[in-house]
Amino acid sequence: MKVKVISILEDNYMYLVIEENGKKAIAVDPAVPHRFGTLNVRCLFTPCHTSGHMCYFVWEDGCTDAPAVFTGDTLFVAGCGRFFEGTAQQMYKNLTEVLSTLPLETKVFCGHEYTVKNLKFALKVEPDNAKVKEMLAWAKARDDDDKPTVPSSLEDEFQYNPFLRLSEEAVQKFTGKTDPVEVLSILRAEKDKFKKPKERLPTPAMLAFQWALSMSKSETLQGPTDRNMTKK
């Protein structure tokens, strides 16, 4: 490995760290970085799930398409990440002071497919939320077809994601709190304990299962066959 010192501007240094074998290099502290096309990336520091967690807001100059935010384990469709290495206060800041300030049309690309379970929890929190019911039916259909539920949009998330609806009366009633950080903390604790309700088998399938189970028990009670009993 070689390090090349490069003087730039008036009194700045940048460095090229050069790989001897592949002759590739990385630039350290470039003051005038080269721009790769018209894409722009803003790095958003969102510690909580992990202490160094980052989200990335991306947009293209002169493009009418909506910008995108890659939220990793901070914001999911209808949910948020666990507080593994952080606190509810940190997650509250991530959601309300960082991500929620992005344009409403921003597309949300999260790190995991938890949408159906998240929406079932959201329905438990807000059983009268029509948007949650609509999204849950849609997400189940996507899941049945093995299709992703991403992206959503920030505008949509505000309508059904309980972790972005901390001031809503139903969400506060569910948690028994009104302070937004306390509401968020209890929501996450309840989500940690939440188990997705088991899907009931359709009636014909249930009857067939019960019949097969009864036949199995009957054969067990009958014991060996007559042929085995008379074998010499």
Side-chain angles (χ1 to χ4, degrees), residues 54-116:
M54 302 289 293
C55 294
Y56 300 96
F57 179 60
V58 183
W59 72 99
E60 183 176 358
D61 293 336
C63 181
T64 58
D65 292 338
V69 62
F70 298 90
T71 56
D73 291 298
T74 293
L75 178 67
F76 297 119
V77 179
C80 80
R82 291 175 181 259
F83 308 165
F84 281 137
E85 297 182 358
T87 64
Q89 181 66 54
Q90 285 180 310
M91 184 59 80
Y92 177 75
K93 181 177 181 180
N94 295 338
L95 297 177
T96 63
E97 297 181 23
V98 180
L99 296 177
S100 291
T101 61
L102 300 176
L104 287 176
E105 68 271 20
T106 300
K107 299 297 183 184
V108 177
F109 295 86
C110 55
H112 296 277
E113 182 58 68
Y114 295 155
T115 303
V116 171

Side-chain angles (χ1 to χ4, degrees), residues 166-231:
L166 305 177
S167 61
E168 294 294 324
E169 182 179 355
V171 179
Q172 294 186 350
K173 182 179 179 181
F174 177 82
T175 61
K177 301 292 183 180
T178 56
D179 177 80
V181 176
E182 292 182 333
V183 173
L184 177 60
S185 180
I186 291 177
L187 270 183
R188 185 61 256 184
E190 290 298 316
K191 180 61 169 62
D192 290 345
K193 298 184 293 183
F194 180 72
K195 292 184 178 179
K196 183 170 61 175
K198 293 182 178 179
E199 301 287 349
R200 293 183 60 86
L201 290 173
T203 302
M206 180 64 76
L207 291 175
F209 174 75
Q210 291 175 344
W211 177 82
L213 186 62
S214 66
M215 290 297 292
S216 176
K217 289 182 178 179
S218 176
E219 291 176 359
T220 301
L221 291 175
Q222 287 178 3
T225 63
D226 292 340
R227 183 172 60 83
N228 291 334
M229 292 290 291
T230 59
K231 183 177 180 182

Side-chain angles (χ1 to χ4, degrees), residues 108-182:
V108 177
F109 295 86
C110 55
H112 296 277
E113 182 58 68
Y114 295 155
T115 303
V116 171
K117 185 175 181 179
N118 286 346
L119 285 165
K120 287 187 175 183
F121 177 71
L123 190 60
K124 180 180 179 181
V125 177
E126 293 188 273
D128 297 324
N129 188 321
K131 188 64 176 180
V132 172
K133 296 176 183 178
E134 175 189 333
M135 279 297 297
L136 180 55
W138 174 84
K140 284 181 176 179
R142 298 286 291 183
D143 189 57
D144 289 342
D145 291 337
D146 198 26
K147 294 180 179 178
T149 59
V150 294
S152 63
S153 71
L154 281 179
E155 185 173 19
D156 289 339
E157 291 298 314
F158 285 122
Q159 297 181 58
Y160 53 69
N161 190 328
F163 297 94
L164 293 177
R165 296 171 57 81
L166 305 177
S167 61
E168 294 294 324
E169 182 179 355
V171 179
Q172 294 186 350
K173 182 179 179 181
F174 177 82
T175 61
K177 301 292 183 180
T178 56
D179 177 80
V181 176
E182 292 182 333

